[in-house]
Short mmCIF file of all heavy atoms in Angstrom, two decimals:
data_model
loop_
_atom_site.label_atom_id
_atom_site.label_comp_id
_atom_site.label_asym_id
_atom_site.label_seq_id
_atom_site.Cartn_x
_atom_site.Cartn_y
_atom_site.Cartn_z
N VAL A 479 -98.18 17.23 85.63
CA VAL A 479 -98.92 16.00 85.33
C VAL A 479 -98.29 14.86 86.15
O VAL A 479 -97.06 14.75 86.21
CB VAL A 479 -98.85 15.67 83.83
CG1 VAL A 479 -99.43 14.28 83.55
CG2 VAL A 479 -99.61 16.72 83.01
N TRP A 480 -99.15 14.06 86.77
CA TRP A 480 -98.69 12.92 87.56
C TRP A 480 -99.30 11.65 86.98
O TRP A 480 -100.48 11.63 86.58
CB TRP A 480 -99.09 13.07 89.01
CG TRP A 480 -98.22 14.04 89.77
CD1 TRP A 480 -97.19 13.75 90.58
CD2 TRP A 480 -98.32 15.48 89.78
NE1 TRP A 480 -96.61 14.88 91.10
CE2 TRP A 480 -97.30 15.97 90.62
CE3 TRP A 480 -99.18 16.40 89.15
CZ2 TRP A 480 -97.10 17.32 90.86
CZ3 TRP A 480 -98.99 17.74 89.40
CH2 TRP A 480 -97.95 18.20 90.23
N TYR A 481 -98.48 10.60 86.93
CA TYR A 481 -98.93 9.31 86.41
C TYR A 481 -99.12 8.33 87.57
O TYR A 481 -98.54 8.48 88.65
CB TYR A 481 -97.91 8.74 85.41
CG TYR A 481 -97.66 9.68 84.25
CD1 TYR A 481 -96.48 10.41 84.14
CD2 TYR A 481 -98.62 9.83 83.25
CE1 TYR A 481 -96.25 11.27 83.07
CE2 TYR A 481 -98.40 10.70 82.17
CZ TYR A 481 -97.23 11.41 82.11
OH TYR A 481 -97.02 12.27 81.05
N ILE A 482 -99.93 7.32 87.30
CA ILE A 482 -100.26 6.31 88.30
C ILE A 482 -99.35 5.10 88.09
O ILE A 482 -99.28 4.55 86.99
CB ILE A 482 -101.74 5.86 88.19
CG1 ILE A 482 -102.65 7.09 88.01
CG2 ILE A 482 -102.13 5.02 89.39
CD1 ILE A 482 -102.55 8.10 89.11
N VAL A 483 -98.65 4.72 89.14
CA VAL A 483 -97.77 3.56 89.05
C VAL A 483 -98.60 2.33 88.70
O VAL A 483 -99.63 2.04 89.33
CB VAL A 483 -97.01 3.33 90.38
CG1 VAL A 483 -96.21 2.02 90.32
CG2 VAL A 483 -96.10 4.51 90.68
N GLY A 484 -98.17 1.62 87.63
CA GLY A 484 -98.86 0.41 87.20
C GLY A 484 -99.98 0.65 86.21
O GLY A 484 -100.61 -0.29 85.74
N LYS A 485 -100.26 1.91 85.88
CA LYS A 485 -101.33 2.24 84.93
C LYS A 485 -100.72 2.75 83.61
O LYS A 485 -99.57 3.19 83.56
CB LYS A 485 -102.25 3.31 85.51
CG LYS A 485 -102.99 2.91 86.78
CD LYS A 485 -104.13 1.94 86.50
CE LYS A 485 -104.93 1.65 87.76
NZ LYS A 485 -106.05 0.72 87.50
N ASN A 486 -101.53 2.70 82.54
CA ASN A 486 -101.09 3.21 81.24
C ASN A 486 -100.94 4.74 81.31
O ASN A 486 -101.95 5.44 81.51
CB ASN A 486 -102.13 2.83 80.17
CG ASN A 486 -101.67 3.24 78.77
OD1 ASN A 486 -100.76 4.04 78.61
ND2 ASN A 486 -102.30 2.68 77.76
N PRO A 487 -99.73 5.25 81.14
CA PRO A 487 -99.53 6.71 81.29
C PRO A 487 -100.26 7.54 80.23
O PRO A 487 -100.47 8.73 80.44
CB PRO A 487 -98.01 6.86 81.17
CG PRO A 487 -97.55 5.66 80.43
CD PRO A 487 -98.48 4.55 80.83
N GLU A 488 -100.63 6.93 79.11
CA GLU A 488 -101.33 7.70 78.08
C GLU A 488 -102.82 7.82 78.38
O GLU A 488 -103.50 8.67 77.82
CB GLU A 488 -101.12 7.05 76.71
CG GLU A 488 -99.67 7.11 76.24
CD GLU A 488 -99.50 6.63 74.81
OE1 GLU A 488 -100.52 6.44 74.13
OE2 GLU A 488 -98.35 6.43 74.38
N GLU A 489 -103.32 6.97 79.27
CA GLU A 489 -104.75 7.00 79.59
C GLU A 489 -105.02 7.44 81.02
O GLU A 489 -106.02 8.10 81.30
CB GLU A 489 -105.36 5.60 79.37
CG GLU A 489 -105.30 5.14 77.92
CD GLU A 489 -105.87 3.73 77.75
OE1 GLU A 489 -106.34 3.17 78.75
OE2 GLU A 489 -105.84 3.22 76.62
N ASP A 490 -104.13 7.08 81.93
CA ASP A 490 -104.35 7.39 83.35
C ASP A 490 -103.30 8.38 83.83
O ASP A 490 -102.15 8.01 84.07
CB ASP A 490 -104.28 6.12 84.19
CG ASP A 490 -105.40 5.14 83.86
OD1 ASP A 490 -106.50 5.34 84.37
OD2 ASP A 490 -105.15 4.22 83.05
N TYR A 491 -103.70 9.61 83.95
CA TYR A 491 -102.80 10.62 84.50
C TYR A 491 -103.65 11.70 85.17
O TYR A 491 -104.85 11.81 84.93
CB TYR A 491 -101.88 11.21 83.44
CG TYR A 491 -102.57 11.93 82.31
CD1 TYR A 491 -102.97 13.26 82.44
CD2 TYR A 491 -102.81 11.29 81.08
CE1 TYR A 491 -103.59 13.93 81.40
CE2 TYR A 491 -103.43 11.96 80.04
CZ TYR A 491 -103.81 13.28 80.21
OH TYR A 491 -104.43 13.94 79.18
N ILE A 492 -103.00 12.47 86.00
CA ILE A 492 -103.69 13.52 86.76
C ILE A 492 -102.99 14.85 86.50
O ILE A 492 -101.76 14.94 86.57
CB ILE A 492 -103.65 13.21 88.27
CG1 ILE A 492 -104.52 11.99 88.57
CG2 ILE A 492 -104.11 14.41 89.10
CD1 ILE A 492 -104.33 11.44 89.96
N ALA A 500 -102.42 16.59 93.53
CA ALA A 500 -102.35 15.37 92.71
C ALA A 500 -102.60 14.12 93.54
O ALA A 500 -103.33 13.21 93.12
CB ALA A 500 -100.99 15.29 92.03
N HIS A 501 -101.98 14.07 94.74
CA HIS A 501 -102.21 12.92 95.63
C HIS A 501 -103.67 12.81 96.03
O HIS A 501 -104.25 11.73 96.04
CB HIS A 501 -101.34 13.06 96.90
CG HIS A 501 -99.96 12.52 96.72
ND1 HIS A 501 -98.86 13.33 96.56
CD2 HIS A 501 -99.50 11.23 96.66
CE1 HIS A 501 -97.77 12.58 96.42
NE2 HIS A 501 -98.14 11.31 96.47
N ALA A 504 -105.63 11.46 93.16
CA ALA A 504 -105.31 10.05 92.93
C ALA A 504 -105.98 9.15 93.97
O ALA A 504 -106.49 8.07 93.64
CB ALA A 504 -103.80 9.86 92.96
N HIS A 505 -105.98 9.60 95.21
CA HIS A 505 -106.62 8.81 96.28
C HIS A 505 -108.11 8.67 96.04
O HIS A 505 -108.70 7.61 96.25
CB HIS A 505 -106.36 9.46 97.63
CG HIS A 505 -104.91 9.40 98.05
ND1 HIS A 505 -104.37 10.24 99.01
CD2 HIS A 505 -103.89 8.63 97.61
CE1 HIS A 505 -103.08 9.96 99.15
NE2 HIS A 505 -102.78 8.99 98.30
N LYS A 507 -109.65 8.75 93.16
CA LYS A 507 -109.97 7.97 91.96
C LYS A 507 -109.47 6.53 92.02
O LYS A 507 -110.14 5.61 91.53
CB LYS A 507 -109.37 8.68 90.73
CG LYS A 507 -109.82 8.10 89.41
CD LYS A 507 -109.35 8.96 88.25
CE LYS A 507 -109.83 8.40 86.91
NZ LYS A 507 -109.38 9.24 85.78
N TYR A 508 -108.29 6.32 92.64
CA TYR A 508 -107.66 4.99 92.58
C TYR A 508 -107.47 4.34 93.95
O TYR A 508 -106.97 3.22 94.03
CB TYR A 508 -106.29 5.08 91.89
CG TYR A 508 -106.37 5.60 90.47
CD1 TYR A 508 -106.07 6.92 90.18
CD2 TYR A 508 -106.77 4.77 89.43
CE1 TYR A 508 -106.14 7.41 88.88
CE2 TYR A 508 -106.84 5.24 88.12
CZ TYR A 508 -106.54 6.57 87.86
OH TYR A 508 -106.61 7.04 86.58
N GLY A 509 -107.85 5.01 95.02
CA GLY A 509 -107.71 4.42 96.35
C GLY A 509 -106.52 4.97 97.11
O GLY A 509 -105.59 5.56 96.53
N LYS A 510 -106.51 4.74 98.42
CA LYS A 510 -105.50 5.32 99.30
C LYS A 510 -104.08 4.82 99.02
O LYS A 510 -103.11 5.53 99.17
CB LYS A 510 -105.85 5.03 100.76
CG LYS A 510 -107.08 5.76 101.26
CD LYS A 510 -106.75 7.22 101.52
CE LYS A 510 -107.94 7.94 102.15
NZ LYS A 510 -107.65 9.36 102.38
N GLY A 511 -103.93 3.58 98.64
CA GLY A 511 -102.59 3.02 98.50
C GLY A 511 -101.91 3.32 97.19
O GLY A 511 -100.80 2.82 96.94
N VAL A 512 -102.52 4.11 96.35
CA VAL A 512 -101.97 4.36 95.02
C VAL A 512 -100.67 5.18 95.10
O VAL A 512 -100.51 6.03 95.97
CB VAL A 512 -103.01 5.10 94.14
CG1 VAL A 512 -103.23 6.52 94.63
CG2 VAL A 512 -102.58 5.11 92.68
N GLU A 513 -99.75 4.89 94.20
CA GLU A 513 -98.51 5.64 94.11
C GLU A 513 -98.50 6.42 92.79
O GLU A 513 -98.95 5.92 91.76
CB GLU A 513 -97.30 4.70 94.16
CG GLU A 513 -97.12 4.00 95.49
CD GLU A 513 -95.87 3.14 95.51
OE1 GLU A 513 -94.95 3.40 94.69
OE2 GLU A 513 -95.82 2.20 96.32
N ILE A 514 -97.97 7.63 92.87
CA ILE A 514 -97.92 8.48 91.66
C ILE A 514 -96.50 9.04 91.47
O ILE A 514 -95.71 9.07 92.41
CB ILE A 514 -98.92 9.66 91.74
CG1 ILE A 514 -98.58 10.59 92.91
CG2 ILE A 514 -100.35 9.15 91.84
CD1 ILE A 514 -99.45 11.85 92.97
N TYR A 515 -96.22 9.45 90.24
CA TYR A 515 -94.92 10.08 89.95
C TYR A 515 -95.16 11.16 88.90
O TYR A 515 -96.03 11.05 88.04
CB TYR A 515 -93.90 9.06 89.46
CG TYR A 515 -94.28 8.33 88.18
CD1 TYR A 515 -93.82 8.77 86.93
CD2 TYR A 515 -95.13 7.21 88.21
CE1 TYR A 515 -94.18 8.11 85.76
CE2 TYR A 515 -95.49 6.55 87.05
CZ TYR A 515 -95.01 6.99 85.82
OH TYR A 515 -95.38 6.34 84.68
N GLN A 516 -94.36 12.23 89.00
CA GLN A 516 -94.57 13.39 88.11
C GLN A 516 -93.87 13.19 86.77
O GLN A 516 -92.83 12.55 86.68
CB GLN A 516 -94.05 14.67 88.77
CG GLN A 516 -94.46 15.94 88.01
CD GLN A 516 -94.10 17.22 88.75
OE1 GLN A 516 -93.57 17.17 89.86
NE2 GLN A 516 -94.39 18.36 88.14
N ASP A 517 -94.48 13.74 85.73
CA ASP A 517 -93.88 13.74 84.39
C ASP A 517 -92.49 14.37 84.49
O ASP A 517 -92.33 15.45 85.08
CB ASP A 517 -94.77 14.55 83.44
CG ASP A 517 -94.40 14.35 81.98
OD1 ASP A 517 -93.21 14.51 81.65
OD2 ASP A 517 -95.30 14.04 81.18
#
Side-chain angles (χ1 to χ4, degrees):
V479 171
W480 283 261
Y481 302 107
I482 316 302
V483 174
K485 298 286 185 180
N486 184 344
E488 294 187 11
E489 296 178 3
D490 295 278
Y491 62 83
I492 292 168
H501 274 105
H505 292 161
K507 189 172 182 180
Y508 300 101
K510 291 285 185 181
V512 69
E513 293 183 22
I514 63 174
Y515 61 96
Q516 190 173 358
D517 193 308

